[in-house]
Amino acid sequence: MKIIKYPKPDDWAALTKRPLLENKTLEPLVKQILEEVKTNKDFALFRFTEQFDQVRTTQLLVSNPELVAASKQIPAELKSAIKLAKRNIKKFHQAQKEKIKPIETSKGIVCWRKSIAIEKVGLYIPGGTAPLFSTLLMLGIPAKLAGCKEIVLCTPPNKNGNINPAILYTAKLIGINKVFKVGGAQAIAAMAYGTESIPQVYKIFGPGNQFVTKAKELVQQNGIAIDMPAGPSEVLIIADKSSYAPFLAADLLSQAEHGSDSQTILLSNSKAIIDRTMRELEDQLELIPRKEIARKALNNCLFILFENLEECIAFSNEYAPEHLILAVKDALNFADKITNAGSVFLGNYSCESAGDYASGTNHTLPTNGYAKSYSGVSLDSFVKKISFQQLSKEGLKNIGSAIELMAAAEGLEAHKNAVSIRLKFLENV
Amino acid sequence: MKIIKYPKPDDWAALTKRPLLENKTLEPLVKQILEEVKTNKDFALFRFTEQFDQVRTTQLLVSNPELVAASKQIPAELKSAIKLAKRNIKKFHQAQKEKIKPIETSKGIVCWRKSIAIEKVGLYIPGGTAPLFSTLLMLGIPAKLAGCKEIVLCTPPNKNGNINPAILYTAKLIGINKVFKVGGAQAIAAMAYGTESIPQVYKIFGPGNQFVTKAKELVQQNGIAIDMPAGPSEVLIIADKSSYAPFLAADLLSQAEHGSDSQTILLSNSKAIIDRTMRELEDQLELIPRKEIARKALNNCLFILFENLEECIAFSNEYAPEHLILAVKDALNFADKITNAGSVFLGNYSCESAGDYASGTNHTLPTNGYAKSYSGVSLDSFVKKISFQQLSKEGLKNIGSAIELMAAAEGLEAHKNAVSIRLKFLENV
C-alpha cells in the first residue's frame, strides 16, 4: 500500500495502466481444447470433465429432480433475498425496453428499428470457491426479459459431480431449464460449436478464469458474439473529508477479496482521509475469511492524493474503472463529470455490494479500461436491432435522383440503376 | 445461377452456409504490419504507404487547403445529393438518442443509465475503385451526433498521393478535420496504437479488404473495440407473383457489383417470377460497367423455390441476411415475422440502394450470418452506457439484509461487511 502525492498528468498514463496478464502458453492449450470439443463433442466434454474437474460422468444435463431438490436445500431467508434481488434487477432491466419509433425521414420514407431477442444465448457461471448465483441473476433475467428462446447455462460440477444448489435454485427461479455440468474452455467450446447434449448458441456471456476468457476470445473469431472482453475486477473510490473511513476500507476490501489480482484505488483531496482509511484497512482485513487473497490484492492498492476533486475525477476518467464510488459530499453534482466508468455509486450509502447483488443494476461490467468504449451488460446485450424501411412511390421520387448521383459518383452503376429502373417505371404508370 | 426447388429443412443448413474465406498466410503478415507500426510508428506508415500504395510521403495529415480545394472539385448537384442524404441520416440517428430514465427499484434506491460518447473513435474508408463517401456519412454522422470528441479518419491515397475529393468534401461537411492518407492494416494499427501523427482511438469502424478486416480482428484482442466482424456483402430477396422481375434483377445486380464474393439469393413461391428474373438478369448484366465482377458473383446466386412465403421467411431467418428485401404484396404484414436480418426493405419501391445512400438508415450492417447476434451501426455504436445508483439510508436499509445474505452465501464476507458496517452505523445515529 503506497501513497502517491500530487502526480503530474504526465505520470497518469503509468498509474492508470493495468498489469499485463500475458500468458503465451494459454492460447495453444485452449485452442486444442476447442478443437477437441469441435471434433469429439460430448465425448471430449466427458474426458475434460474427468481431467479438470475429477468427475466421471456421461450425463451433462442437470435433471429436473436435481433442480427441484436444490430448492429444498436453500434456507427460506436466502430464497427471499434472491427474490428481492430478482425483482429489482427485473424492474431496472424492464425499463430498458425500447418502443418502436417510426421516423419519416423524407416525405414517403418511413424508417424504424426493432429490437429482437438473440434466439440462442449461452451463460457461463464459474465454479470454485464462490458460487456466483448473483451473476446468474444478472445474465438470466435480461435474457428472459429480452425473450431469448434458448438459454443454455454451463457451470462446472464440484468433485461429487454436483452443482451448488443456490445456482440451481436461481436457474429454476428465472426459468432456465437447460443447465449443464461442464466448465472451463470446454464449456465455451460446447456452446460455440454445439455437441450432442449442448445446443449451439449465437452469443456467450459470463465471467471465468483465464481459460474461459481465452476461449471466449477465440470463439469470437469464429463469429460467436461475446458479452465483452474480461480482466480482473476493479474499484476506484473518490473520497473527500466528508467520507467515513470505515466505509471506504470496507468497500476496498470487498473488491480486494475477489482475487489477488483485484485492482483497488482510492483518490482523495484529503491526506487525513487516506491515512485513516489505511489504518482501517489493517483492522478490517483481520476480520474477513478471505484475508490472504485480499492482502495480496491490497499490496497493489493505490492511494493517490490530489489537490482537488476535479483532478480526482479527471484521473478516474482516464483510468475508466469498472466500479466507481463517489463517496463525496453532494455526489450527484459530480455525476455529470464522469465520462468513463462501468457503474457509478453515489454517496456514502451506495456501496458496491448494493449493485453487485440487489439494487437492480447489472454487475457484469467492463474492466481493464474497456469502460472507455464498452457498456456493461443490459437488456441491449440480449437483443439485436434490425432496421426497417418502407418507401412509397413518392418517397422514392423524393430521394431517387440523390441516390443516382451518389451511386454514380461511387462508380456503382448497378446501384444507380436499381433506382433508375423504378423511376422510369413510375413515369410510365 | 441455379434453381433449387423445395429444399427440405434438413438441407437448409448447407444452403445458408457462407463460403469459408480462410487465409492462413494472412494472419502472420498482418501481425507483422501491426508490430512494425507499434514499434516504428509514423516511420512504418511511410514505409508501408510506399510499399502498398506506391506513394512516397512524410505528410499523412490532409491539409486544410486540400480539404477546402476538394469542395471546388465536386459538382453542385452531387453536393446537394450528399446534403440530402446527410439530412436524412442525421434525422434517423438523432431519433436514437435516449433520455435518462431514473428508476426507483426499491424505496430509496434510484438507478439510471446514461449514454456518453466514446471519446476517441477511428473511421476507416477504403480506397480502390469505389470512393465510399457514403460510408463516411454512415459513420461520421452518428459519431458527431453522439459527441465523440476526437474523430480520426484514415483512407489510402491514390497513386498521386491524393484522396478522392468526394471523401474530403464529405469529411469537411460532417466536420471531421483529422483525415490521414494511410490505408490497409497499417492504418488500423496506427489508430489502435497511435503514432506521432495519428491519435490512438478506443474504437475503430469501417469496411475494408481482408488485411483491414484481419487487422481489426487482431487489435480487438488488444482491447480496441471494433464495429463488428466483417464478411462479403449480401442481399436476400423474397418475391411473390406481385413482384416486378426487372426490379428484382436490378436489386440482385446492385449487390453483385460490389465484388465477386457478394452473396445474392432470391426466394419465391412463384416459379414464373424466378424464371423472369433470371432472364432479366442476363439482359441487365450487359448494361453495367462492373459486369465482370457481377457475373462472377451471380454464378453463386441461389434461386430457391418454396411452397409458400412462410417458408421463404423461415429460410431467410435461418440465413440472417445483411439486406433483406421483402418484395411481396403487403410486405409490412410480413415484417413482424423477421427475426434475423441486418436491414429490411419493404415493398417494390424500397430498393437496397435507398438504404445504402439516402433514406436515413445506416448501411454498415452485419454480414455472414452475424445478424443473428449483432446489430448494424447506430448511434449506440458511438456511445457506452454508464449505470448510476444512489441509495439513501432508507434504501440501504430496505435491501441491506438481502445483500448480506446473498454475499454470505457466495462466501464473500467482505461484500457482506460493506453493508453490515453501514447498517450498524445507521443504528447508532
Side-chain angles (χ1 to χ4, degrees), chain A residues 77-78 81 84-85 87-88 91-92 95-96 98 101 103-106 109 111-114 116 118 130-134 137 202 217 220-221 223 225 244 246-247 250-251 253-254 257-258 284 288-290 332 335-336 338-346 348-351 353-359 361 370-375 378 380 384-391 393 396 399 402-403 405-407 409-415 417-419 421-422 425-426, chain B residues 77-78 81 84-85 87-88 91-92 95-96 98 101 103-106 109 111-114 116 118 130-134 137 202 217 220-221 223 225 244 246-247 250-251 253-254 257-258 284 289-290 332 335-336 338-346 348-351 353-359 361 370-375 378 380 384-391 393 396 399 402-403 405-407 409-415 417-419 421-422 425-426:
Chain A
E77 55 181 3
L78 178 58
L84 180 147
R87 203 201 58 207
N88 283 354
K91 197 166 175 183
F92 188 62
Q96 292 162 20
E98 286 173 35
K101 281 191 290 187
I103 305 291
E104 189 166 39
T105 54
S106 285
I109 303 175
C111 308
W112 64 96
R113 293 200 310 156
K114 185 178 167 188
I116 294 175
I118 299 171
L132 300 179
F133 58 87
S134 61
L137 290 170
Y202 303 142
E217 185 186 311
Q220 189 181 24
Q221 291 170 43
Y244 185 53
F247 294 176
D251 291 339
L253 276 172
S254 78
E257 77 170 341
H258 271 300
Q284 289 188 26
I288 60 165
R290 293 166 74 100
L332 193 56
D336 270 350
I338 303 306
T339 56
N340 294 317
S343 198
V344 184
F345 299 79
L346 303 170
N348 286 325
Y349 298 98
S350 308
C351 52
S353 302
D356 286 342
Y357 289 106
S359 65
T361 57
Y370 299 135
K372 288 180 175 174
S373 51
Y374 288 89
S375 312
S378 71
D380 273 350
K384 70 271 175 181
K385 292 175 190 179
I386 304 182
S387 62
F388 290 82
Q389 62 200 281
Q390 187 159 36
L391 282 76
K393 292 169 190 173
L396 188 65
I399 64 168
I403 300 170
L405 280 160
M406 291 172 75
E410 287 192 350
L412 297 172
E413 291 288 332
H415 280 66
N417 189 52
V419 170
I421 200 170
R422 285 171 166 92
F425 178 86
L426 287 175
Chain B
E77 55 182 5
L78 179 57
L84 180 146
R87 203 201 57 206
N88 283 354
K91 197 166 176 184
F92 187 63
Q96 292 162 19
E98 286 173 35
K101 279 190 291 185
I103 304 292
E104 190 167 37
T105 53
S106 286
I109 304 175
C111 307
W112 65 95
R113 293 200 310 157
K114 186 178 167 187
I116 295 175
I118 299 172
L132 299 179
F133 57 87
S134 61
L137 290 170
Y202 304 142
E217 184 186 310
Q220 189 181 23
Q221 291 169 42
Y244 186 53
F247 294 176
D251 292 340
L253 275 172
S254 79
E257 77 170 340
H258 270 301
Q284 290 188 26
R290 293 165 74 98
L332 192 56
D336 270 350
I338 304 305
T339 57
N340 294 316
S343 199
V344 183
F345 300 78
L346 302 170
N348 286 325
Y349 297 99
S350 308
C351 52
S353 301
D356 287 341
Y357 288 106
S359 65
T361 57
Y370 300 136
K372 288 181 176 175
S373 52
Y374 288 88
S375 311
S378 70
D380 273 351
K384 73 270 175 180
K385 292 176 189 177
I386 305 182
S387 62
F388 290 81
Q389 63 199 282
Q390 187 160 36
L391 282 75
K393 291 169 191 172
L396 188 64
I399 65 167
I403 300 171
L405 281 161
M406 291 173 76
E410 287 192 351
L412 297 173
E413 290 288 331
H415 280 66
N417 189 53
V419 170
I421 200 169
R422 285 170 165 93
F425 178 86
L426 287 175

Side-chain angles (χ1 to χ4, degrees), chain A residues 289-303:
Chain A
R290 293 166 74 100
K291 69 177 164 191
E292 289 317 316
I293 291 172
R295 190 189 301 278
K296 274 188 202 150
L298 288 175
N299 279 339
N300 300 315
C301 183
L302 292 179
F303 297 85

Side-chain angles (χ1 to χ4, degrees), chain A residues 61-64 66-68 70-71 74 82 86 123 125 132-141 144 151-155 163-180:
Chain A
L61 182 69
V62 173
S63 69
N64 203 44
E66 279 177 282
L67 283 172
V68 173
S71 178
I74 307 293
I82 293 174
K86 182 189 168 208
L123 315 182
I125 302 293
L132 300 179
F133 58 87
S134 61
T135 303
L136 180 51
L137 290 170
M138 297 296 173
L139 302 177
I141 292 170
K144 274 281 169 185
I151 305 174
V152 173
L153 168 61
C154 286
T155 188
I163 308 288
N164 184 290
I167 290 180
L168 294 184
Y169 169 74
T170 305
K172 196 164 160 47
L173 180 72
I174 301 173
I176 298 174
N177 305 310
K178 289 195 178 158
V179 185
F180 296 96

